[in-house]
Every structure is written in C-alpha cells, then in structure tokens.
Amino acid sequence: MTITDQQPLGSPFSATSTAEDVMAAFDLSGATAVVTGGYSGLGLETTRGLAAAGARVIVPARRPGLARAALKDVDGCDVIPMDLADLDSVRAAVAQINDSLSKLDLLMAVAGVMATPERRVGPGWEGQLAINHFGHFTLACELYPLLAAADGARVVVNSSAGHTLTDIRWHDPHFCTGYDKWLAYGQAKTANALFAVQLDALGHNDGVRAFALHPGKIITGLQREMTLHEQIERGWVDEHGTVIGADFKTPSQGAATGLWAATSPLLDSRGGLYLEDCDVACTSAPAAPMDDGGVRAYAIDSGAAARLWDLSVAATGATPITR
C-alpha cells in the first residue's frame, strides 16, 4: 500500500448511506464474523446488519448479560465474555471461538473508549492505547489461523478522525510524563489505523485483508466518559443532551462504512486502506482541520506500522504473524 492508493473508488454509497443500504444486496449465509462492541451503538448496528444478511456473529462482551439482553431479538448471534483491557480474558475468548469455528470470515474491531480519565492497565499501560489497540491487536493475532483458513477474510478496525490529534508518541506512548486524555485518544486511533496497514501487509498472501476507518461523528455510548458541559462546549449537544451538530450521523449511518469495508467488491484485492463515508479516504494535509476528513500520512505509513507492530508484539506477547 502506498499513499497513492488512498484515493476514492467511486463507491455507490455516501456519508448518508445506512447499514441497511449497504447490506441490501448481500447474502452472507455460511459466513462467520466476530464483532467487538457488537451490542451497543455502532457495534449493535453492525451485528444487526451482518446477522440480517445471514452471517453467524459472535459478540465478545465485557458485560455479557447486558449484551445478551441487547441482542435477544437478533438471530444467529452468540455472546461470549471478553474484556479488551485484560489480555488473559482476550485469550480465553479466543479459545472459545476456536472451539466453535473452523474459519473466520470477518473480524470487526468496533469496541473502544474515548477521552477517558487516566487509567493504567496491565503492567502500567495507558488505558486507551491498551483497550483500543493492544486488546484488538492480541485478539487479531490469536485469531489469525481462523482468518487465514477463510481464504478471503477481512479485518475492519474502527479508527477515527481523532487520529489527526497526534502520531504515535514513540518517546512516551504511555504518557508517563503527564496525561492528556485527547492526545491519548488520538494516539490510540492512529494505532488502530497503523495496525490495519501492517496486518494487511503480513496477511494478504493468506487472503487476509485489513482496513481502518472513520465512522463519522455519532453520539453513542463512546461519549460516556465526557460531561454534558464538555459536549455542549464542543457544539455536539444542547443543555438537554439533544444532538445539535448538523454533521452528525445516525448509528446506522455510522455503521455503514464498516459494513461496506466488510463486504464491498470494490475492495477485492485491496487492503491497508483508511476509509470514510463508504469509500477510500484521501490523504489530508498536516494542518487540515479534523472535520475536513481524510487520513494523515503518518497514520498509513508502512514503516511506522511495522514499528508499532513490533512494539505491540513485545508488549502483549501475542503470537507473531509472519509472511
């Protein structure tokens, strides 16, 4: 993948397309999918879209009881316990998935946290990097044999326009010298994008292709760590918590790009790309406003992606993937 590959493909869908629009033509009978965060917000819409098309969907959940309640009306869906902040829990979930599947066609990394208070995870890792990146990284690495067995699997990772806030802080990725919740979020979202680049580079010979994406601006449970005052200051909601931003998407519209990434024939033989509004995004200038769209060059840099991969393997002890 090169920077020149980051060009729109002329998708028939757009920013206003819904999950239902994207999935209308697909029959996924016989396909298997894992959707993290698949019981709320964008994840719930993703699970519904895949299941309605006939896929068997496994939803790993930190709160399995809540997940089962949210998914009680969704056919072909199984919930298993998993906490992305606990790598032993991730590996236990992988063991359960291995026991029930012979192949995995889709891994949708939708779960995440945003702008949280400072939290330390595992051996002192910064919490947003640990949950958004290390947890998904470990899950994908340990599930890789099932992905390779599918002969055409796709891995779809939810990044964000928040990646424009910062490159990887190689000098201090865990904010040991002072915490900033928004820079921590931005770094985690850059990590999500770089993860897709390197996973695609390592996996494409096995038919495993990976994509990262910005789902758009959507009010979901992702904002739960933010006060109402913070959301009002950013122009997202009014004093009653009602969404007022004209550029906000519905959850179904927010899930559409991920489902397009999972299914679109336009992406056959492609990978390592950053997507938005149901198409490939353009690269953005270093000083371009976040809301103008596009992906920063540092978030799709192959050298940085390989460096982050090595850092992540060393940190997590995940099973390496070799070409």
Side-chain angles (χ1 to χ4, degrees), residues 214-309:
H214 171 44
K217 293 168 68 175
I218 312 103
I219 295 294
T220 65
L222 191 63
Q223 290 82 17
R224 60 185 172 271
E225 301 275 8
M226 298 177 65
T227 66
L228 178 61
H229 179 69
E230 284 180 289
Q231 296 183 57
I232 292 171
E233 279 191 326
R234 289 176 172 268
W236 295 353
V237 299
D238 62 19
E239 64 271 19
H240 305 294
T242 302
V243 177
I244 58 175
D247 54 348
F248 276 83
K249 295 183 179 184
T250 67
S252 180
Q253 290 170 330
T257 298
L259 290 167
W260 182 78
T263 58
S264 176
L266 288 176
L267 295 174
D268 289 349
S269 302
R270 301 176 189 270
L273 299 167
Y274 180 95
L275 316 175
E276 64 185 0
D277 295 337
C278 297
D279 208 335
V280 178
C282 293
T283 52
S284 58
M290 179 190 300
D291 289 344
D292 283 4
V295 59
R296 295 289 199 262
Y298 60 68
I300 50 172
D301 180 84
S302 59
R307 182 180 179 184
L308 179 65
W309 189 276

Side-chain angles (χ1 to χ4, degrees), residues 45-298:
E45 296 297 328
T46 300
T47 298
R48 285 174 172 159
L50 295 172
R56 178 187 175 188
V57 185
I58 295 176
V59 176
R62 184 170 60 87
R63 299 169 291 179
L66 189 63
R68 291 187 183 98
L71 295 164
K72 65 181 184 300
D73 296 325
V74 181
D75 294 330
C77 183
D78 300 306
V79 174
I80 63 172
M82 189 185 79
D83 183 351
L84 285 166
D86 179 350
L87 298 191
D88 288 339
S89 171
V90 172
R91 292 185 170 96
V94 169
Q96 272 195 262
I97 294 168
N98 278 326
D99 285 344
S100 64
L101 298 182
S102 60
K103 68 177 179 67
L104 180 60
D105 299 285
L106 294 170
L107 173 57
M108 311 288 286
V110 183
V113 294
M114 181 176 77
T116 62
E118 182 173 8
R119 295 194 181 107
R120 297 289 153 182
V121 172
W125 297 330
E126 189 282 310
Q128 295 189 75
L129 184 66
I131 293 168
N132 293 345
H133 172 59
F134 285 159
H136 282 124
F137 175 86
T138 303
L139 181 66
C141 287
E142 302 304 332
L143 287 175
Y144 187 80
L146 289 179
L147 292 164
D151 190 26
R154 292 188 186 182
V155 178
V156 180
V157 187
N158 275 33
S159 179
S160 164
H163 82 273
T164 61
L165 294 168
T166 181
D167 194 352
I168 302 297
R169 290 161 45 94
W170 302 107
H171 67 290
D172 184 21
H174 296 293
F175 289 81
C176 297
T177 57
Y179 183 70
D180 181 304
K181 68 181 183 179
W182 283 108
L183 287 182
Y185 176 67
Q187 175 180 244
K189 295 292 102 179
T190 294
N192 288 150
L194 290 172
F195 166 54
V197 171
Q198 185 64 3
L199 178 57
D200 189 79
L202 294 172
H204 71 267
N205 287 338
D206 291 326
V208 179
R209 307 311 303 253
F211 304 90
L213 63 95
H214 171 44
K217 293 168 68 175
I218 312 103
I219 295 294
T220 65
L222 191 63
Q223 290 82 17
R224 60 185 172 271
E225 301 275 8
M226 298 177 65
T227 66
L228 178 61
H229 179 69
E230 284 180 289
Q231 296 183 57
I232 292 171
E233 279 191 326
R234 289 176 172 268
W236 295 353
V237 299
D238 62 19
E239 64 271 19
H240 305 294
T242 302
V243 177
I244 58 175
D247 54 348
F248 276 83
K249 295 183 179 184
T250 67
S252 180
Q253 290 170 330
T257 298
L259 290 167
W260 182 78
T263 58
S264 176
L266 288 176
L267 295 174
D268 289 349
S269 302
R270 301 176 189 270
L273 299 167
Y274 180 95
L275 316 175
E276 64 185 0
D277 295 337
C278 297
D279 208 335
V280 178
C282 293
T283 52
S284 58
M290 179 190 300
D291 289 344
D292 283 4
V295 59
R296 295 289 199 262
Y298 60 68

